[in-house]
Amino acid sequence: MDLPQKRKRISYELTNSQPSTREAAPSTSTNGQAGGFVEGAILRITMHNFLTYDHSQVFPGPKLNMIVGANGTGKSSIVCAICLGLAGKTAVLGRGDKVGLYVKRGCSKGSVEIELYRANGNLIISREIQEENNQSTWMLNKKHASQRAVEEAVKELHIQVGNLCQFLPQEKVGEFAKMSNIELLEATEKSVGPPEMYEFHCELKTYCSKESKLENVCKEKADFLEMARQRNERNKLDVKRYYMKKRHLDRIQMLEKKKPLVEYETARKELEGVKKEREEMKRKLKSLKEAQEPLLRKIRSVESQLQPIEHQMKELTAGIKDASQKCKQKHDQLELRNKEVDNIRQDLSLKQTEEADRQKRIGHTQLMIKDLQKELQNMGSMEDVTPQIEAVNAELKNIQDEKAKLEGESLDLRRDKDEASGELHRLQNRLRSLEDMMKMKEDKLRVRFRDTYTALMWLRNNRDRFEGNVYDPMMLVINVRDARHAKYVESQIPANDLRAFVFQRQEDMEKFMTEVRDTQRLRVNSVIAPAESCSKRPPSRPLETLKRYGFFSYLRELFDAPEEVMSYLCHQYRVNDVPVGTEKTKSMIEMVIRELQLRVIYTAEEKYNVKKSNYSNNVVSSNSALRPSQFLTMTIDADERHQLEEQLRAAERKVQRCDQRMAAVREQLTKLDRHDNELRAKKKKLSELKGKKRQLEQKISTKQDRYLPPKTSCVQLCFKSAIFYIFFSLCSLRQMEQNEINLQAIEEETNTKIAAVNNKKVAIMEEYLSRMQMKARMSMEKVYLALQSAGLSAEKTKLKTDCRDSLAELKQAEGVYTKLDQIKTNLLAKCKTLMSRASAICKMSPGETAVPDELHADFSQLPDTLDEIDAMLNEEKTRAECFTGLSVAVVEEYNRRELEIKNMEKELDDKTNALRTYRQNIAEAKERWLNSLKQLVDQINERFSDFFRSMQCAGEVDLHSENEEEYDKYGIRIRVKFRSTTQLHELTPHHQSGGERSVSTMLYLMALQELNRCPFRVVDEINQGMDPVNERRVFDIVVRTACGVNTSQYFFITPKLLQNLQYAEQMTILCVHNGPYMLPPNKWSEKAFMRRAKRGHNC
C-alpha cells in the first residue's frame, strides 16, 4: 500500500558546521493563508551552535506539530529556541538564568533565527548570543535592531511566550496547576480574550483601588474638618484675650524703641561737656612741656658724652679678658713641663730600685741551689715502679676495648631510636592532620551555629558532670566514608539533628539543657538514643535483591558513627532501610516505585518520597534534586585513624625500649669511666715517684744554668718537670748576673732631658710676662675712663633731680588729659552704640538722626524723659503680665486651622466629586468587562466539559469571586472529577495526582485552542504523568481540536507515543534524532527512505 500523500515538512539536524542547502517552500511563501498559516505563525526555526545543535532548521506545519524524540535528543532545545528567539526571558524556561548558557558547549557564540508569517511580508527575527558576556545581537529582516523593537514586533502579532496558557515549557508544566485562580484568569484574558478585556480588568482594579482610597480620604477629611471646627470654637476666647495683651505689648515695644533715642540725646550732651574740659587740659599740658625743654637738652648732651666712654670701656674689658686667658694658657704649659721633669726623675729612681732588687735575687738563688743538692743526697736508693705502670697500662687497654664495644652498641641503639622517632613523628603528623580536619569541621560549626559551638566548648570542659555517654553534634561525629555520598546523608538527616547533641541517659540531657538553654540562653538541640540499640537492625530486604535496579548500598553503610548515634538514626530516619541507587535507578524509577514500594529512594542526583493514600490506596511520589553537601564533605577514615593509633603506640614502645637499653649502656660506661679514672690516678702517682729524683737533678741544673745532656729528651720528662724547667730557666743564676744595669749612663741621660725641658720653660715664662704687662696697661686705661664716666654720671643725676619737680606736675596733667580723652572715647562709642541701637530698632537709614515719619506720631504721644519712659514701661508690663496662660502658638494654630478649614472644605468637595466620577466609571467598565468575560468563560466551560465527557469524566470552568465588587479577587476556577464515586474538586497541586493534573491542564489548553487569538501554542512533555488510557484520549482530543478549521498553530512535544493512535492529515510530525550514527546532511535522502519503505512493505 502506498504511503499517504501529504505536504512535506522537513526537520533535520546537522552534526557539522556547514549549513544545509535544502529549502522548504513555506519558509519563503508570503501567501500564508493559502497554506493554513495564521498571522504570526512560525514558518521556520534555524538554530546554529544552540544547546545540542550544531546547525538545524525546523519547518513546522500550520496546525498540529508533533515533535517526537528520545530524551536528550534536543526536543526541548527547539522550545528554548522559540522562547529566546522571540525575546522571551530565560526565567520562562526554568533552566539557566543566563542566556550564554544556551550556547553549545565549546562554542563562543550561537544563534537562533525564526521566520513568522505576516500577510504583508514575513518577519524574520535573528538573535546572536555571545557566550562570554551573555550579550545578544538582534536583527529584524536582516537589519540590526534593539531588543525593545523586537519585543514590540512580537507583541503586535499577539505572541506571549511568558503566558503559560500559550507557552508551557517542560520545566513549567507543574507550575500551571500551582497557578492561583486569579493568575489563571489573567493568563486566560491575555491569551484568548479580546485585547481590551485585560485592559478593562486592569482599569477596573485601578478604579477600585482608587475608589477605596478616595472613600477613606473623604471620611478622614470629613472627620478632621469637624474636629478642627470644634477645636477653634474652644480657643476663640483665648484668641480675644491674646489680642488685648498684644496691644499692651505693642505700646511696650514703642517705648523701648523711643528709649534708645532719649538715651542717645542724653549721652550726646554729656560728650559735648567732656570735649570742652579736654581742650583746656591740652593747652595747660603744652605750656608745662615748653618750660621743661632746656633741662632735657642738657641731659641729652651729657648722655651723648657718656656713650663713647662706655664703648671704650667695653673694648678694654674684652682685651683684659683675652690677656687673662692667654696668661692662664702659659701657666698651664709651665705646669706640664714641671710634670715632665718629675716623670724623668721617677724613671731614674725605678732603675736604681730594680738594680738593688737584682742583687738580692742572686743571693737568694745561690742559697736555693745548696738546699736542693742536700735533698738529693738524702733520697738514697728507690724501688723500680716500671712493672706496676705496665700492669696498669694493660688494664687500661682492656677498659678502652670494653668502652669501644659499648659505644658501638650505643650508636646502634641511637640509630634505632632515631628511626623509631622519625616513624613516630610521621604517625603523629598524620594523626594531627586528621585532627585538623576535625578542627575544620568545628570551625564550620562555629561559623554556622555559634550557640551550638559555645555549648560544645562548655561540654568538653564539664564532661565529668554526666554519668552516661554524651556525644558531640552529629555533624562532627558522623564520618562519611566517601565525600561523594555526603549529600545523601545530609538530605536524609535534617540540619536541626545534624547540629544536635546525642545523650545516652535522659537525666544527662535534662541537666545539659538546663545549663545551656535556661542559664546560658543558647539555642541548641539535643536528642536521646533509644534504650534498646537499633544500630545493627537489618534492612527489610537484602541488598542483593535490589542491585538489579541499580542500588549499590543502604544509607547506613555509607558512613560511620558511634553506636548510640547510629542507633538514633536507624530508629528515627531508618537509615538502615533507605537504599541508594545510580542513574540506572533513575531510568527505571517508575518500576522501582511500583514493585519495591519503598518509602524513600535515592538515585544519583535525586531523592524520591513515596506515599500511599489511606483512602484510595493510590501511590503518590514526589522527587527533589539533591543539594551539594555543606557539613559532611570532610571525611575521616576511621579504620586509618585506628590503624595509625595502633602504629603510634607500637612506635612509642620501641622508642621506650631503646631508651631503657641506652640507659643501661650509659650506666656501664659510667662504671668503666670511674675505674679508668682510678687506674689513671694510680699510674700518675707511680709516674711521679719515678720522676721525682730526675726532677731534683733538673732543678739543680736549672739553677746552675747547666744544659741537659744530649741523650736526654724533653719527651722523657713528665709534664710537671717541663713546667718547672721552663719557669726556673728564666730565673737562672747566670742570666741574673748578665742583666746588670748601668746606672751612671742612665743618670747622664736623665740630666740631659731635664736641661732640654728647662729651656722650654724659660721661653714660656718670657711670653707669660709679656702678656701680664699688656693686661696691666689696659687696666690702667680702663681706670682713667671710669673716672671720666663717674663725673659725667654725677652731672646727669643732678640735672635729673632738678627736672623731677616739673616732671611730676607734667605727669599729673598728662594723667588728667588721658582720663578725659578716655571718657570722651567711651562717650563717643556709647553714642555710636546708642545711635546704632536706635537706628536698628527704629529702622533708620545709616547716618540718619531724625525720627522716621511713621514713628513720629507714635513717639509724640509718649514721654520725653528717661524717668517717665521707665515708669510707663513698668506700668504696661504689669498690665501685660495680667494676661497669663496665653500662647502665640494657640493663636497661630487658630488662624492656621481657620485656613485649613476653608481649604479642607474645598478639598472635600473635590474628592466627593471625584469619588462620584470613579463610581460611575467603575459601573461602565464593569459592564464592558464582566459581560464579555462571562461569555468567554462560558465558551471555555462548554468545550472543557465536552472534552471531559468524551473521556467519561466530568469537569467545569467557572468565574469565581467571593465579593462581586472586589475585581482583583476574580479568578477562573477549574473543577474536575475522574471517578464516578467522587465529587467535583477544584484543581490544586495537592488534591489530584500528577497524571490527573496533566490531563486537566492539557484539556484546558485545548479548550482555549479554538478561542485563541495567539498565532501558536507550545506544550512540552505534558503527557509524561498520564496513564495510557488518559494519554490516548487526550491525544485524540488534541488531534481533533488542533487540526480544526479555525485553529492556530500548535506544538506538542513528547518523548514517546502510544501505538495505534489516530492521526490527521493536517498534522506535521517532526522526529528528532541524535547520536553517533546520524547521517551527514549531504547523504540524507527522503526518496531513498521511501523506496526502502515500499520494498519492505511489498516483501
Side-chain angles (χ1 to χ4, degrees):
M1 184 178 72
D2 294 338
L3 292 174
Q5 297 297 320
K6 61 183 287 185
R7 183 178 50 79
K8 298 178 181 178
R9 310 301 294 171
I10 304 170
S11 176
Y12 51 88
E13 175 184 1
L14 300 181
T15 57
N16 56 19
S17 60
Q18 298 178 353
S20 172
T21 58
R22 300 181 180 222
E23 296 184 357
S27 65
T28 58
S29 174
T30 58
N31 187 12
Q33 288 294 345
F37 288 97
V38 298
E39 188 85 0
I42 298 175
L43 299 177
R44 173 176 55 88
I45 306 169
T46 301
M47 296 166 285
H48 182 74
N49 291 336
F50 186 81
L51 289 176
T52 59
Y53 293 101
D54 289 335
H55 184 85
S56 181
Q57 287 185 309
V58 179
F59 298 95
K63 299 297 182 182
L64 177 60
N65 293 273
M66 300 290 295
I67 302 178
V68 185
N71 288 328
T73 55
K75 304 184 302 302
S76 295
S77 298
I78 299 175
V79 177
C80 296
I82 294 173
C83 176
L84 299 181
L86 296 176
K89 306 298 182 183
T90 55
V92 175
L93 300 172
R95 291 191 174 189
D97 57 343
K98 297 179 180 178
V99 72
L101 298 174
Y102 292 85
V103 177
K104 186 172 182 179
R105 183 172 298 177
C107 299
S108 61
K109 61 182 179 179
S111 64
V112 176
E113 183 174 283
I114 298 178
E115 184 174 357
L116 302 175
Y117 171 76
R118 284 196 310 190
N120 57 351
N122 294 345
L123 176 65
I124 299 177
I125 301 175
S126 302
R127 180 178 190 176
E128 186 178 87
I129 303 170
Q130 301 292 333
E131 187 271 338
E132 182 177 358
N133 55 8
N134 293 298
Q135 298 295 322
S136 298
T137 303
W138 295 90
M139 297 182 70
L140 286 175
N141 290 330
K142 306 301 181 181
K143 295 180 181 179
H144 286 283
S146 64
Q147 183 174 348
R148 183 62 180 271
V150 174
E151 291 174 350
E152 292 296 331
V154 169
K155 184 177 180 182
E156 289 178 1
L157 296 174
H158 306 294
I159 297 174
Q160 305 170 13
V161 292
N163 191 340
L164 294 183
C165 289
Q166 178 180 349
F167 194 89
L168 190 62
Q170 178 180 353
E171 285 75 9
K172 298 290 184 177
V173 170
E175 292 188 12
F176 187 90
K178 296 179 183 178
M179 292 174 64
S180 65
N181 296 343
I182 299 171
E183 294 171 339
L184 184 59
L185 172 60
E186 293 180 355
T188 304
E189 287 176 335
K190 294 177 183 179
S191 178
V192 300
E196 65 276 4
M197 178 178 288
Y198 181 69
E199 296 176 2
F200 288 157
H201 190 186
C202 294
E203 187 178 348
L204 266 176
K205 290 190 286 187
T206 304
Y207 284 154
C208 286
S209 175
K210 292 183 177 180
E211 179 197 14
S212 177
K213 291 179 181 178
L214 277 174
E215 284 181 352
N216 295 332
V217 169
C218 290
K219 185 177 183 304
E220 290 174 0
K221 287 188 177 296
D223 294 343
F224 188 79
L225 181 61
E226 182 62 25
M227 189 182 302
R229 288 170 176 166
Q230 293 176 2
R231 287 182 180 178
N232 267 16
E233 191 63 31
R234 290 196 299 268
N235 295 336
K236 193 171 183 180
L237 180 61
D238 291 341
V239 172
K240 182 177 180 181
R241 295 178 66 242
Y242 171 81
Y243 284 114
M244 292 175 65
K245 179 179 180 180
K246 189 174 183 302
R247 283 194 293 273
H248 293 291
L249 293 177
D250 290 341
R251 182 168 293 179
I252 291 171
Q253 186 178 8
M254 282 297 170
L255 289 168
E256 289 177 347
K257 284 183 179 181
K258 186 174 182 180
K259 184 177 179 180
L261 289 173
V262 175
E263 290 176 344
Y264 165 73
E265 188 64 25
T266 303
R268 188 184 63 79
K269 292 178 181 180
E270 185 179 356
L271 176 62
E272 292 297 329
V274 171
K275 281 183 178 180
K276 292 179 181 179
E277 293 180 8
R278 176 177 171 276
E279 290 298 325
E280 292 177 0
M281 185 55 63
K282 185 177 181 180
R283 287 192 295 270
K284 182 180 179 181
L285 184 63
K286 183 178 180 181
S287 63
L288 289 173
K289 286 184 177 180
E290 291 175 351
Q292 197 179 20
E293 185 62 26
L295 291 174
L296 294 176
R297 281 198 298 270
K298 291 181 180 180
I299 291 173
R300 285 196 293 272
S301 176
V302 173
E303 288 177 348
S304 63
Q305 295 176 16
L306 276 173
Q307 286 180 355
I309 294 173
E310 290 177 353
H311 180 68
Q312 291 177 7
M313 289 178 66
K314 287 181 180 179
E315 291 179 349
L316 288 173
T317 302
I320 293 170
K321 184 177 179 181
D322 182 61
S324 299
Q325 290 178 351
K326 291 182 178 179
C327 288
K328 185 177 183 302
Q329 292 176 0
K330 295 303 178 182
H331 184 270
D332 294 340
Q333 291 178 5
L334 285 173
E335 291 294 330
L336 290 175
R337 298 307 175 189
N338 291 333
K339 288 182 180 179
E340 187 176 352
V341 171
D342 292 340
N343 291 336
I344 293 171
R345 288 174 178 170
Q346 188 176 4
D347 291 342
L348 177 61
S349 177
L350 289 174
K351 292 294 184 181
Q352 291 173 349
T353 303
E354 185 178 352
E355 176 61 19
D357 185 62
R358 185 181 67 83
Q359 295 295 334
K360 290 181 182 179
R361 283 190 284 111
I362 289 173
H364 181 70
T365 304
Q366 290 175 348
L367 292 175
M368 187 181 294
I369 291 173
K370 291 179 181 180
D371 292 338
L372 290 173
Q373 289 175 346
K374 184 177 180 180
E375 184 179 356
L376 182 61
Q377 292 175 359
N378 293 332
M379 282 190 67
S381 61
M382 182 182 292
E383 182 183 359
D384 188 9
V385 293
T386 301
Q388 297 180 23
I389 292 175
E390 291 177 353
V392 170
N393 288 335
E395 192 170 354
L396 283 172
K397 185 177 183 302
N398 294 334
I399 290 175
Q400 292 298 326
D401 294 341
E402 185 66 23
K403 286 175 66 177
K405 181 179 178 182
L406 290 174
E407 287 174 354
E409 184 179 357
S410 178
L411 289 175
D412 294 339
L413 289 172
R414 170 61 62 184
R415 193 179 301 109
D416 293 343
K417 181 182 177 181
D418 290 342
E419 293 176 357
S421 298
E423 180 66 14
L424 180 63
H425 291 157
R426 185 188 67 79
L427 295 172
Q428 287 175 343
N429 290 336
R430 177 56 183 160
L431 190 59
R432 194 176 298 112
S433 67
L434 296 179
E435 292 174 352
D436 290 342
M437 294 178 66
M438 179 61 71
K439 182 67 168 57
M440 292 172 63
K441 295 174 73 173
E442 293 177 3
D443 291 342
K444 185 175 291 188
L445 175 69
R446 176 174 54 82
V447 172
R448 294 294 301 274
F449 309 108
R450 170 68 68 175
D451 288 358
T452 305
Y453 180 81
T454 304
L456 174 64
M457 294 298 101
W458 180 88
L459 174 63
R460 290 183 176 175
N461 294 329
N462 300 273
R463 200 178 291 271
D464 55 345
R465 295 173 59 177
F466 303 98
E467 298 180 4
N469 293 332
V470 183
Y471 295 97
D472 294 348
M474 293 188 199
M475 62 181 292
L476 299 182
V477 299
I478 291 177
N479 180 43
V480 181
R481 298 174 182 175
D482 189 337
R484 295 174 299 175
H485 300 152
K487 58 185 177 182
Y488 304 124
V489 181
E490 286 194 20
S491 177
Q492 186 68 14
I493 305 173
N496 285 337
D497 273 3
L498 282 175
R499 61 189 180 96
F501 296 85
V502 182
F503 290 83
Q504 185 183 22
R505 300 168 63 91
Q506 180 70 31
E507 54 270 22
D508 286 345
M509 185 176 74
E510 294 174 355
K511 184 188 299 182
F512 175 79
M513 295 304 289
T514 301
E515 172 65 28
V516 301
R517 185 176 60 190
D518 300 340
T519 304
Q520 301 185 23
R521 302 293 182 182
L522 300 178
R523 299 174 61 183
V524 298
N525 297 335
S526 62
V527 298
I528 186 168
E532 183 179 352
S533 177
C534 305
S535 60
K536 304 299 182 183
R537 180 184 294 172
S540 59
R541 65 195 77 196
L543 182 63
E544 297 298 329
T545 61
L546 303 179
K547 286 186 176 180
R548 66 188 184 93
Y549 299 104
F551 293 104
F552 63 90
S553 174
Y554 280 105
L555 197 58
R556 180 178 60 184
E557 316 307 327
L558 300 181
F559 65 95
D560 298 313
E563 183 177 355
E564 282 82 357
V565 177
M566 185 66 78
S567 176
Y568 172 79
L569 295 177
C570 291
H571 175 75
Q572 186 69 21
Y573 299 110
R574 300 175 60 85
V575 295
N576 61 308
D577 206 26
V578 176
V580 181
T582 58
E583 290 293 342
K584 178 181 178 181
T585 311
K586 182 179 178 181
S587 64
M588 52 193 312
I589 190 64
E590 294 182 358
M591 183 188 302
V592 171
I593 294 174
R594 183 174 61 255
E595 295 182 0
L596 299 182
Q597 297 183 355
L598 295 168
R599 296 175 62 184
V600 180
I601 301 169
Y602 284 96
T603 62
E605 298 296 335
E606 293 181 336
K607 175 183 179 181
Y608 288 83
N609 289 300
V610 183
K611 297 181 180 178
K612 189 173 183 180
S613 175
N614 295 329
Y615 304 98
S616 60
N617 291 329
N618 290 335
V619 176
V620 180
S621 64
S622 62
N623 65 310
S624 58
L626 294 176
R627 296 179 179 177
S629 174
Q630 298 181 11
F631 307 112
L632 304 179
T633 51
M634 290 179 288
T635 62
I636 301 174
D637 192 337
D639 295 337
E640 180 187 2
R641 183 171 182 175
H642 180 71
Q643 185 178 1
L644 284 174
E645 291 174 348
E646 291 293 333
Q647 292 176 357
L648 187 64
R649 286 193 288 270
E652 289 174 347
R653 288 194 296 269
K654 185 175 180 181
V655 171
Q656 188 177 5
R657 287 196 301 270
C658 290
D659 288 338
Q660 291 174 354
R661 180 57 186 156
M662 288 173 67
V665 170
R666 282 196 298 271
E667 186 177 357
Q668 293 180 10
L669 284 171
T670 302
K671 292 179 180 179
L672 291 175
D673 287 339
R674 193 182 302 117
H675 192 195
D676 181 87
N677 292 334
E678 292 174 355
L679 291 175
R680 288 183 183 279
K682 182 178 180 181
K683 179 181 176 181
K684 179 180 178 183
K685 186 176 181 181
L686 292 173
S687 298
E688 289 176 354
L689 291 175
K690 181 178 179 181
K692 189 172 183 180
K693 182 178 180 181
R694 189 177 299 155
Q695 291 173 8
L696 291 173
E697 293 174 350
Q698 182 64 38
K699 288 179 182 180
I700 295 170
S701 175
T702 302
K703 294 299 180 180
Q704 292 178 347
D705 196 27
R706 289 203 300 264
Y707 297 100
L708 292 173
K711 294 182 180 180
T712 305
S713 175
C714 290
V715 179
Q716 296 175 352
L717 298 175
C718 66
F719 179 71
K720 184 177 287 188
S721 298
I723 293 176
F724 285 134
Y725 173 75
I726 294 171
F727 176 76
F728 288 107
S729 64
L730 296 174
C731 302
S732 64
L733 182 61
R734 179 174 293 180
Q735 184 178 2
M736 287 186 291
E737 291 174 350
Q738 291 175 353
N739 290 338
E740 182 179 2
I741 298 174
N742 190 351
L743 291 176
Q744 185 178 358
I746 292 174
E747 287 177 357
E748 292 176 355
E749 183 182 359
T750 300
N751 291 331
T752 303
K753 291 180 180 179
I754 291 173
V757 173
N758 287 333
N759 292 332
K760 295 179 181 179
K761 288 172 63 178
V762 170
I764 294 170
M765 194 63 188
E766 291 176 351
E767 292 182 7
Y768 179 73
L769 291 175
S770 174
R771 298 293 180 184
M772 288 297 293
Q773 291 173 358
M774 184 183 298
K775 178 181 177 183
R777 182 177 53 79
M778 288 189 292
S779 297
M780 290 299 295
E781 292 177 358
K782 181 179 179 182
V783 170
Y784 294 148
L785 292 174
L787 291 174
Q788 295 178 11
S789 175
L792 292 173
S793 297
E795 185 179 358
K796 178 181 177 182
T797 302
K798 182 177 179 301
L799 290 172
K800 285 186 175 182
T801 302
D802 295 340
C803 188
R804 187 176 297 118
D805 296 337
S806 60
L807 186 63
E809 186 178 357
L810 179 62
K811 286 184 177 179
Q812 183 179 3
E814 286 179 347
V816 173
Y817 177 79
T818 303
K819 183 177 180 182
L820 289 172
D821 189 66
Q822 183 65 37
I823 293 172
K824 174 206 166 187
T825 303
N826 293 338
L827 285 173
L828 183 62
K830 182 179 179 181
C831 289
K832 290 181 179 179
T833 302
L834 291 173
M835 191 61 199
S836 299
R837 180 183 172 195
S839 299
I841 293 176
C842 298
K843 297 180 180 179
M844 298 163 60
S845 301
E848 184 181 0
T849 58
V851 178
D853 295 336
E854 60 268 17
L855 297 178
H856 192 274
D858 294 332
F859 283 0
S860 61
Q861 299 176 6
L862 299 176
D864 295 327
T865 64
L866 283 176
D867 294 337
E868 292 174 347
I869 288 175
D870 289 337
M872 184 175 285
L873 269 174
N874 293 331
E875 181 181 356
E876 292 296 329
K877 288 180 179 179
T878 302
R879 290 181 178 180
E881 288 174 356
C882 294
F883 295 94
T884 59
L886 300 178
S887 172
V888 67
V890 175
V891 179
E892 291 176 354
E893 184 179 1
Y894 177 86
N895 295 330
R896 178 179 54 79
R897 196 177 291 121
E898 282 291 329
L899 183 60
E900 285 181 355
I901 288 171
K902 294 179 182 178
N903 295 335
M904 211 175 303
E905 288 174 347
K906 184 177 181 304
E907 288 180 7
L908 185 59
D909 292 339
D910 295 341
K911 295 295 182 182
T912 303
N913 294 332
L915 180 61
R916 192 178 301 110
T917 303
Y918 269 115
R919 287 173 176 169
Q920 183 178 356
N921 292 337
I922 289 173
E924 294 174 358
K926 177 181 178 182
E927 184 177 357
R928 292 195 304 267
W929 171 71
L930 192 58
N931 294 336
S932 59
L933 177 62
K934 288 181 178 179
Q935 293 177 3
L936 179 64
V937 173
D938 290 340
Q939 293 175 0
I940 296 172
N941 178 53
E942 181 180 355
R943 288 168 176 75
F944 188 75
S945 301
D946 291 343
F947 291 152
F948 264 85
R949 278 194 296 272
S950 67
M951 296 177 59
Q952 287 79 46
C953 300
E956 66 177 27
V957 176
D958 61 355
L959 187 64
H960 177 71
S961 177
E962 295 180 358
N963 186 350
E964 187 177 351
E965 301 301 326
E966 293 181 356
Y967 302 104
D968 56 340
K969 300 296 179 62
Y970 274 78
I972 287 182
R973 181 174 58 179
I974 301 176
R975 297 194 298 167
V976 295
K977 180 178 72 171
F978 287 90
R979 286 167 290 278
S980 60
T981 57
T982 60
Q983 299 294 325
L984 285 171
H985 289 284
E986 186 174 352
L987 181 65
T988 64
H990 312 292
H991 191 276
Q992 289 80 14
S993 65
E996 291 172 349
R997 292 197 299 270
S998 298
V999 170
S1000 303
T1001 301
M1002 193 66 186
L1003 294 183
Y1004 184 80
L1005 296 179
M1006 296 312 302
L1008 303 180
Q1009 180 67 14
E1010 295 181 1
L1011 303 173
N1012 195 9
R1013 62 185 179 90
C1014 61
F1016 65 86
R1017 189 184 309 281
V1018 177
V1019 178
D1020 189 2
E1021 296 192 17
I1022 199 172
N1023 60 334
Q1024 288 303 295
M1026 300 182 189
D1027 58 79
V1029 175
N1030 285 336
E1031 184 176 355
R1032 184 178 299 277
R1033 293 173 177 173
V1034 169
F1035 183 84
D1036 291 340
I1037 294 173
V1038 170
V1039 172
R1040 185 171 65 251
T1041 305
C1043 295
V1045 178
N1046 296 320
T1047 58
S1048 59
Q1049 198 175 34
Y1050 200 97
F1051 291 89
F1052 188 83
I1053 294 89
T1054 179
K1056 61 181 180 62
L1057 287 174
L1058 299 175
Q1059 297 180 355
N1060 300 322
L1061 293 173
Q1062 297 295 324
Y1063 297 91
E1065 290 293 329
Q1066 294 81 3
M1067 289 177 58
T1068 300
I1069 298 179
L1070 304 170
C1071 296
V1072 182
H1073 300 282
N1074 199 350
Y1077 302 107
M1078 286 292 296
L1079 286 176
N1082 55 1
K1083 294 184 179 180
W1084 185 277
S1085 176
E1086 296 179 4
K1087 295 181 179 179
F1089 298 154
M1090 299 292 286
R1091 287 195 300 270
R1092 192 177 301 121
K1094 289 179 180 179
R1095 286 199 302 270
H1097 182 73
N1098 293 332
C1099 293

